[in-house]
Amino acid sequence: MLRSSAAALALVACAALVTGCQQAGDDTADPQDAPAAASATPTASAASTPSPSASPTGPSAANTAAVCRRADELIIEASRRIADDSAAATRRELTPEQLNGQLKGTLAGLADDLREKAGNAEDPRIRDLVTDAAKQIDTGAAAASPATWMATGFVRIPERLTRDCHV
């Protein structure tokens, strides 16, 4: 059971890495699909604020690219840490409770880091977008099974940031 949970968690983390590394503009999904995707994750959408518009209302702030890039880097770093922790948990034969504890700590730290970056954003739309991502990750950190939440909630966050943050 532990090996399969750790393997599934590592797979989810790798999927998040791949999603987070996609170039902006590669998303060919219809923008009208976004509300349906958001409603498919009741825990994330219930705790989150409405999505900012994908098109900015005015010129983007000077530090938008830097804030968005750092948010991406933080998510990639956390995804790698989660994958490494999952592999180590298998070797050390951690219980599912211990693995969940590690995962909750990593997610909580990521949410804090994202909130800090959001505070640096000069563009209020970007500040709200990154803050919303932190709130969604808080939901995962508070979940009874953060590994299950990652498969449904976490994988959408890098995709949304790639689509909406880099415009």
Side-chain angles (χ1 to χ4, degrees):
M1 164 91 175
L2 177 61
R3 281 191 187 270
S4 63
S5 295
L9 183 56
L11 181 61
V12 167
C14 289
L17 276 171
V18 170
T19 302
C21 292
Q22 290 179 348
Q23 293 296 323
D26 287 350
D27 186 8
T28 57
D30 183 53
Q32 306 232 346
D33 291 342
S39 67
T41 311
T43 56
S45 62
S48 65
T49 58
S51 299
S53 170
S55 59
T57 56
S60 183
N63 75 341
T64 293
V67 170
C68 292
R69 182 175 47 255
R70 188 59 187 139
D72 287 345
E73 290 169 354
L74 288 168
I75 288 173
I76 290 168
E77 289 168 12
S79 297
R80 287 182 181 145
R81 191 168 36 255
I82 290 166
D84 291 347
D85 287 349
S86 296
T90 300
R91 286 190 301 275
R92 294 187 318 227
E93 297 184 10
L94 295 182
T95 66
E97 293 79 18
Q98 291 170 318
L99 183 59
N100 273 340
Q102 281 185 328
L103 184 51
K104 287 178 182 222
T106 300
L107 291 172
L110 173 58
D112 290 342
D113 291 345
L114 286 173
R115 262 188 290 283
E116 180 182 334
K117 291 303 152 206
N120 296 333
E122 295 170 3
D123 182 338
R125 186 185 64 83
I126 298 302
R127 186 178 320 117
D128 291 347
L129 179 69
V130 177
T131 299
D132 184 58
K135 288 178 185 175
Q136 290 178 36
I137 292 169
D138 281 334
T139 299
S145 175
T148 301
W149 173 84
M150 286 197 61
T152 58
F154 186 75
V155 295
R156 289 190 176 102
I157 294 169
E159 178 181 288
R160 180 173 174 222
L161 287 174
T162 297
R163 182 187 66 234
D164 295 347
C165 200
H166 298 281
V167 290

